[in-house]
Amino acid sequence: MERDFTYRVYRDLLTAAQDHGYEILSVREYLTREELPERLLVMRHDVDRKVENALDMAEIEASLGATASYYFRAIDKTFEPELFRAVAALGHEVGYHYEDLDTADGDLATARRSFERNLDRFREHVPVDTVSMHGNPLTPHDNRDVVESLDLAEYDLAGEVYLSFDFSEVVYFSDTNRTWYEEKTIVNDWPVGPSEKPTQVESTAELVDLLETGSIPRLYLLVHPNRWADSTAEWALEYSKDVVTNGGKWGLWVVRSLRGDDQSGDSVV
Ligand SMILES: [Zn+2]
């Protein structure tokens, strides 16, 4: 069976959507277009780490004429102005993946100042029209509280990825935990409970099947580029598994290195 959550599978997903009449849109386009197509797929990417994967995905999408939104955290490892410009130049939206209530340790006034400052830092390089909440299961705060306390129009923002959506209009699917299946989770990023979803899928192949039926005309996908691998990494992972099977410690080390991003625990959404 083909490995899921690879670039190849991602490309197949986009192609299947387009072949069945779904237009792939950014968050900004969804929120600001006067008329929306009958079938659409809002594509949102939260970039928590591994910025190079974001550029890979942005290129895959651009090659297919699809538009998506990329939200970058303001931390050192993801605040890469050159990359923001490269992603925007491919026709995508770049936004701020905010976590100011966490960094302000829950102090709302400090968090608002930090949000404003970070928004300005992004806007020195690219236009920013929408923002996306970063969820951290290790803190008790809900970062959305900051944006909820603001008048978005005052900040020239067209919307926020949860607060500005009616999730009865678009059906939400997220690749958190490398499955599309939504379970009750400690991560506070699900807009509706699993029981309220009209349908669930587990693998990307099942999501493709769903698109082929056309039964859900409007979807909203949250895709974390760092959770998807290109074919070289895929090969390395397969290879290291063989080494582990043979009892090599080196292989275990490779597996840990390749999967390290999932075990750091600093953020999962
Ligand atoms: Zn995040």
Side-chain angles (χ1 to χ4, degrees), residues 73-118:
R73 297 170 74 189
I75 55 172
D76 285 349
K77 62 182 171 182
T78 53
F79 193 87
E80 294 283 351
E82 248 175 73
L83 189 89
F84 302 164
R85 283 191 290 266
V87 169
L90 288 166
H92 303 298
E93 172 181 22
V94 174
Y96 172 32
H97 195 33
Y98 66 96
E99 54 191 311
D100 303 276
L101 199 57
D102 286 340
T103 53
D105 203 16
D107 184 85
L108 198 58
T110 307
R112 285 173 70 152
R113 283 194 298 274
S114 158
F115 178 84
E116 289 173 21
R117 212 167 37 240
N118 282 325

Side-chain angles (χ1 to χ4, degrees), residues 215-235:
S215 59
I216 297 180
R218 293 183 170 187
L219 296 89
Y220 173 128
L221 262 54
L222 167 56
V223 171
H224 297 83
N226 64 282
R227 295 187 178 278
W228 297 66
D230 69 22
S231 51
T232 315
E234 190 184 329
W235 177 85

Side-chain angles (χ1 to χ4, degrees), residues 46 48 73 97 133-135 224 267 269:
D46 286 352
D48 294 327
R73 297 170 74 189
H97 195 33
M133 184 271 303
H134 174 67
H224 297 83
S267 65
V269 295

Side-chain angles (χ1 to χ4, degrees), residues 8-20:
R8 187 213 300 250
V9 170
Y10 186 65
R11 179 184 282 274
D12 290 347
L13 170 66
L14 299 181
T15 308
Q18 291 175 325
D19 286 350
H20 291 84

